[in-house]
Amino acid sequence: MTPTHAEDLGRARTAADFAAIRALLDTDLNNAIARKQELQQAEDRAIFGEGDLAAARAALDDCNDAIALVERTIEAVDKRRIAVARSEARVDIEALGAEIRTKAASLGERWKSVHELIEQLRQKLFAADALSRAIIAANAISMPTAPSA
């Protein structure tokens, strides 16, 4: 792992930060695996007398150690990313919950207002109905009935 990755890992706070570091580590791992293949080929050549076998094996061991370190780092980054993602999700859920509670309270107030308006309208309709009946009754009393033939 390069010092840059260590610095990035130290600064990482969000799941996206950890995902970006994971991508960098994946690149490092792929490069180390490619380097390992090259070193294995160099070791094979050294066995047949083309190069220093001890140096090839030492370089291969160093490469294997680097691969192991990157794999452990990836595992740690994945665990941390998952934990941070869960924490972020909890924060998002809490924020949504607060927003929902606020909207529910507002909606409750609006419904209360609607019910009050409906009750006022009912009272006015009853008053209008009573007035209509009174007018009909007054008209019935004041109008003489026509004589029958």
Side-chain angles (χ1 to χ4, degrees):
M1 184 167 66
T2 65
T4 304
H5 294 334
E7 291 172 10
D8 291 341
L9 193 55
R11 287 191 305 257
R13 297 290 179 256
T14 65
D17 293 343
F18 285 104
I21 293 168
R22 169 63 195 267
L24 293 173
L25 290 169
D26 283 340
T27 301
D28 288 351
L29 182 60
N30 290 337
N31 292 339
I33 290 170
R35 175 83 175 123
K36 179 180 176 179
Q37 290 172 347
E38 292 170 7
L39 292 172
Q40 286 173 334
Q41 291 172 355
E43 180 186 33
D44 290 343
R45 286 190 305 268
I47 289 173
F48 294 107
E50 293 181 29
D52 184 6
L53 182 60
R57 285 186 175 163
L60 187 59
D61 287 342
D62 289 344
C63 186
N64 284 331
D65 291 343
I67 289 172
L69 176 62
V70 171
E71 287 174 341
R72 286 192 307 269
T73 305
I74 286 173
E75 185 177 320
V77 166
D78 283 344
K79 286 179 183 178
R80 184 67 181 132
R81 182 186 53 80
I82 290 168
V84 169
R86 286 181 180 155
S87 176
E88 289 172 351
R90 277 192 298 273
V91 169
D92 290 345
I93 289 170
E94 289 172 5
L96 285 173
E99 182 180 345
I100 289 169
R101 283 189 291 279
T102 302
K103 287 182 178 181
S106 174
L107 185 60
E109 288 298 317
R110 288 180 181 187
W111 273 112
K112 183 179 176 183
S113 175
V114 166
H115 285 290
E116 289 172 357
L117 291 172
I118 289 172
E119 189 56 39
Q120 289 174 6
L121 183 59
R122 257 192 199 153
Q123 289 172 3
K124 289 183 180 190
L125 285 174
F126 285 136
D129 187 47
L131 182 59
S132 173
R133 288 182 189 175
I135 290 172
I136 291 172
N139 283 339
I141 293 174
S142 66
M143 289 181 129
T145 55
S148 305

